[in-house]
Amino acid sequence: MNTKSYFFQSFAIVALAFIAFIGFKQILPDKIFSDSKVDSKNVLIDSLLLESVANDSLEQGGDSLTEDEKNEMREKIVFDASEGIEFPSETFDNYKGYQYLISFYEKLYQLENNPQSKVRIAYYGDSMTDGDLIVQDVRANYQERFGGSGVGFVSINSESAASRGSVKSSASKNWKMQSYLNVKHPTSPFGVNGHVFFANDKSNTTWVQYEAGLNKHATTLDSPTLYYGRGTKKGNVNFIIGKDTLRKSLVPNNLINTLKVTSGSIKGFKANFIHADSIPIYGFNFDNGNGVHVDNFSQRGNSGLPISTFNANVMQGFNNSLKYDLVILHYGTNVLNYGTKNYNWYQRGMTKAVNKIKESFPGVSILIISTADKSTKYDLEMKTDSAVVPLMRAQKRYALETESGFVNLYTLMGGDGSMVKWVDESPARANKDYTHFNQRGAKAIGKLVYDQLNKGYEQYKVLRVNREADTNKRKTARKTNTDSVAVKTDSVNE
């Protein structure tokens, strides 16, 4: 058979298969197929994930627990005291790791007793937190209790800019963007958001525009401040606020530089960048300076592994200004699709990523949020994907290994089969891709995450009071002993 004939035969087979698929799709159960249309231009998978899968995911793993894993689940975890506080022991099965969130809880305690202080959270995630889903609800819960207003740090642009309700933004199409998702050696280091932008069009104005959203604690843009990096020459930026134009200079001398747009709060503004093509631009921060602020650093297609490529010196520069108290890593959605149930390779990679966070933000508390439930078709029925539990256990292992807190989102939302329930219930709380939550579901997940963190905080306050009581008791005992010795000495002298 000649090559040409073989080609046309192969093409005919593929065409017939496609027609057959379309036909079967009409008669098979609706829930086997997702109603959502995927825009292939916006589908991203990080290069580090692909490399890790290619190199390491051939390790074999079964569905059932090994004896070592069964013993691991029953193993007792006893925490060492930190700042004189020791949370009760846990088992691997119910691990939450509140002990490792003590520095974060202490900052919350200080804020609760001094409303002028500030707590900041960096929330890194994938498409689960796209459009500020989940994160905006965690933020709202904290700001409702502890105060604070503003959406925090916002990138120059993102895939979800048009769908985000907590802040409205748009940007010119002539920005050059590099992402840690698929660029190993950026022109300038990535920012805290994992991106770097360049206004490198000398013929046309490169601009970005922001407008406050409708969320309760984000109806204004508070103290808008531009963050940019080190460049070879100065540039300019014109801020248009209503009918006024503020002309300011960009002086890119330091690794991280800031430029305040204006003091106080405004409803919106536009920034035109002039002769700034050599300057790395990162984004704007919006917060009122006190209370709790939560930055959403979501990225579709992200596994979390690219965090290991951060430049620690640059991150420390951001941290010197933003001062993070908790870093949340919420990943897993993009790691479930590779036919493996052994996630040792991912555990190793994410341990490296968490250690990079520790290097970048010294002293920060870290929280790992596991994969949620995800459903896959088995014999024409949607069931929990067989890779969900093995991945969740791997995430729990690197949380424990790196002394991080842990939220088991899979069990919090109901465990086995819960995604099917969230999709099929009325009103639905998840989309028909059986993977992502809708607005209603995201709000529920945000509340579940907040409630678990808050439960640990309430326990911390009790332990803190007990520690202070014990300290005072010991001081009183020492004073009593000292006074007693002094009385005896006086008696002898007499």
Side-chain angles (χ1 to χ4, degrees):
M1 183 181 296
N2 62 43
T3 304
K4 188 173 182 180
S5 173
Y6 179 79
F7 170 80
F8 282 112
Q9 244 187 26
S10 300
F11 179 82
I13 291 170
V14 171
L16 287 172
F18 178 76
I19 293 169
F21 170 77
I22 296 299
F24 279 120
K25 184 178 186 298
Q26 306 305 315
I27 61 174
L28 288 174
D30 289 340
K31 68 180 181 179
I32 294 177
F33 302 96
S34 168
D35 283 356
S36 58
K37 294 182 179 179
V38 178
D39 182 354
S40 60
K41 291 185 294 184
N42 289 328
V43 175
L44 299 168
I45 296 294
D46 68 73
S47 57
L48 277 182
L49 173 60
L50 296 177
E51 286 181 16
S52 296
V53 169
N55 293 334
D56 298 313
S57 67
L58 296 179
E59 300 174 16
Q60 295 300 309
D63 292 329
S64 57
L65 290 173
T66 65
E67 283 303 314
D68 286 343
E69 287 172 327
K70 290 177 182 177
N71 291 333
E72 174 187 60
M73 292 176 71
R74 293 189 293 265
E75 184 180 348
K76 194 173 184 180
I77 303 164
V78 179
F79 301 108
D80 295 329
S82 175
E83 305 296 329
I85 291 175
E86 182 182 336
F87 275 87
S89 62
E90 298 178 344
T91 63
F92 181 83
D93 194 33
N94 67 6
Y95 176 68
K96 296 180 178 65
Y98 292 142
Q99 183 72 32
Y100 303 125
L101 303 178
I102 282 178
S103 64
F104 168 62
Y105 288 150
E106 176 60 22
K107 293 300 282 290
L108 282 179
Y109 183 84
Q110 295 299 329
L111 173 59
E112 192 167 21
N113 289 277
N114 175 18
Q116 297 307 307
S117 59
K118 183 177 176 180
V119 169
R120 195 173 198 99
I121 300 170
Y123 198 126
Y124 289 90
D126 50 28
S127 56
M128 281 292 188
T129 56
D130 202 37
D132 217 16
L133 290 180
I134 300 176
V135 182
Q136 64 185 355
D137 301 299
V138 172
R139 183 188 302 119
N141 279 288
Y142 270 113
Q143 291 182 336
E144 189 69 25
R145 176 172 177 182
F146 294 95
S149 64
V151 295
F153 195 97
V154 181
S155 288
I156 293 297
N157 204 359
S158 71
E159 305 95 347
S160 64
S163 62
R164 180 171 179 173
S166 54
V167 63
K168 300 174 184 177
S169 67
S170 56
S172 58
K173 295 181 179 179
N174 54 348
W175 282 99
K176 176 185 176 183
M177 187 271 285
Q178 292 184 318
S179 167
Y180 67 164
L181 205 71
N182 45 35
V183 176
K184 282 188 176 180
H185 304 290
T187 307
S188 292
F190 300 121
V192 68
N193 51 356
H195 298 81
V196 59
F197 297 83
F198 295 92
N200 66 334
D201 189 336
K202 295 181 180 179
S203 303
N204 303 288
T205 300
T206 305
W207 58 267
V208 62
Q209 183 169 315
Y210 298 94
E211 182 182 344
L214 301 176
N215 291 17
K216 182 177 179 181
H217 301 283
T219 55
T220 57
L221 303 177
D222 302 306
S223 299
T225 303
L226 170 67
Y227 280 71
Y228 61 102
R230 178 175 287 159
T232 57
K233 56 185 179 180
K234 295 180 180 180
N236 299 292
V237 57
N238 294 339
F239 296 112
I240 303 170
I241 307 171
K243 295 181 180 180
D244 298 325
T245 298
L246 305 177
R247 294 176 173 84
K248 299 195 177 186
S249 297
L250 299 172
V251 185
N253 293 336
N254 302 313
L255 272 178
I256 300 300
N257 307 276
T258 62
L259 177 63
K260 183 166 285 191
V261 179
T262 183
S263 298
S265 302
I266 55 178
K267 285 291 186 179
F269 68 93
K270 184 176 183 179
N272 293 330
F273 289 83
I274 314 295
H275 304 304
D277 53 292
S278 69
I279 302 174
I281 308 294
Y282 295 118
F284 287 83
N285 178 53
F286 307 105
D287 74 62
N288 70 335
N290 53 60
V292 177
H293 300 99
V294 185
D295 300 335
N296 181 357
F297 299 134
S298 65
Q299 171 69 74
R300 295 177 190 173
N302 200 348
S303 67
L305 296 174
I307 286 173
S308 63
T309 66
F310 274 164
N311 181 309
N313 291 329
V314 171
M315 293 304 113
Q316 288 170 21
F318 274 100
N319 196 44
N320 289 338
S321 173
L322 297 170
K323 296 178 171 52
Y324 289 104
D325 302 295
L326 176 68
V327 172
I328 298 175
L329 303 181
H330 184 169
Y331 295 106
T333 307
N334 301 293
V335 190
L336 287 167
N337 305 316
Y338 294 94
T340 180
K341 298 182 186 68
N342 189 316
Y343 288 99
N344 290 336
W345 57 276
Y346 185 63
Q347 181 181 335
R348 290 192 294 269
M350 284 305 293
T351 298
K352 184 179 178 182
V354 174
N355 287 333
K356 178 61 68 138
I357 291 290
K358 290 184 175 184
E359 181 186 3
S360 300
F361 309 103
V364 73
S365 295
I366 299 171
L367 178 72
I368 308 300
I369 298 182
S370 83
T371 179
D373 188 32
K374 171 191 162 109
S375 296
T376 299
K377 181 190 69 173
Y378 295 103
D379 298 325
L380 302 185
E381 184 179 358
M382 300 301 290
K383 299 179 181 178
T384 290
D385 192 291
S386 60
V388 167
V389 173
L391 174 57
M392 177 271 291
R393 286 201 297 265
Q395 291 175 309
K396 191 184 296 188
R397 288 190 199 101
Y398 71 72
L400 181 58
E401 182 180 345
T402 58
E403 298 187 343
S404 304
F406 184 72
V407 171
N408 190 336
L409 193 52
Y410 167 71
T411 57
L412 269 186
M413 67 178 289
D416 185 61
S418 54
M419 182 55 79
V420 172
K421 294 176 184 176
W422 283 54
V423 172
D424 291 349
E425 67 188 6
S426 183
R429 290 189 288 176
N431 299 325
K432 288 190 175 181
D433 63 358
Y434 291 84
T435 301
H436 295 90
F437 302 103
N438 58 24
Q439 288 268 2
R440 187 178 294 104
K443 186 172 184 178
I445 294 297
K447 184 67 163 55
L448 288 172
V449 171
Y450 170 79
D451 284 347
Q452 180 172 314
L453 279 170
N454 189 58
K455 184 177 179 181
Y457 175 60
E458 294 300 333
Q459 288 183 34
Y460 171 76
K461 289 199 294 183
V462 172
L463 293 169
R464 195 182 192 282
V465 169
N466 292 341
R467 181 195 66 184
E468 290 178 352
D470 290 342
T471 301
N472 291 334
K473 198 178 294 183
R474 286 194 295 271
K475 285 181 180 178
T476 301
R478 283 198 299 270
K479 187 176 185 304
T480 301
N481 290 337
T482 302
D483 291 345
S484 176
V485 170
V487 169
K488 288 181 180 178
T489 302
D490 289 345
S491 297
V492 171
N493 291 335
E494 290 175 0

